Amino acid sequence: MVEYAFGRGDAPEPRPGGHWSADGLITRSAGGTARIIAAEPDRLEIIWQD
């Protein structure tokens, strides 16, 4: 997983990656977790649990 955040000039910059598991749990390298609640071809819904 690669997370992008706004950098200088509002251009997206990659941040340290993370990992996700088949049960929908996401762990960010920078800290924090999330859960995937829906995954469709055109939409991904995540609840962050920081």
Side-chain angles (χ1 to χ4, degrees), residues 3-41:
E3 181 178 352
Y4 286 89
F6 289 110
R8 288 187 272 161
D10 292 332
E13 291 183 357
R15 304 292 178 171
H19 303 280
W20 74 88
S21 62
D23 66 353
L25 182 64
I26 299 171
T27 305
R28 295 167 65 187
S29 295
T33 59
R35 179 148 315 270
I36 297 172
I37 58 171
E40 302 294 329

Side-chain angles (χ1 to χ4, degrees), residues 28 31-34 48-50:
R28 295 167 65 187
T33 59
W48 291 102
Q49 303 163 346
D50 290 327

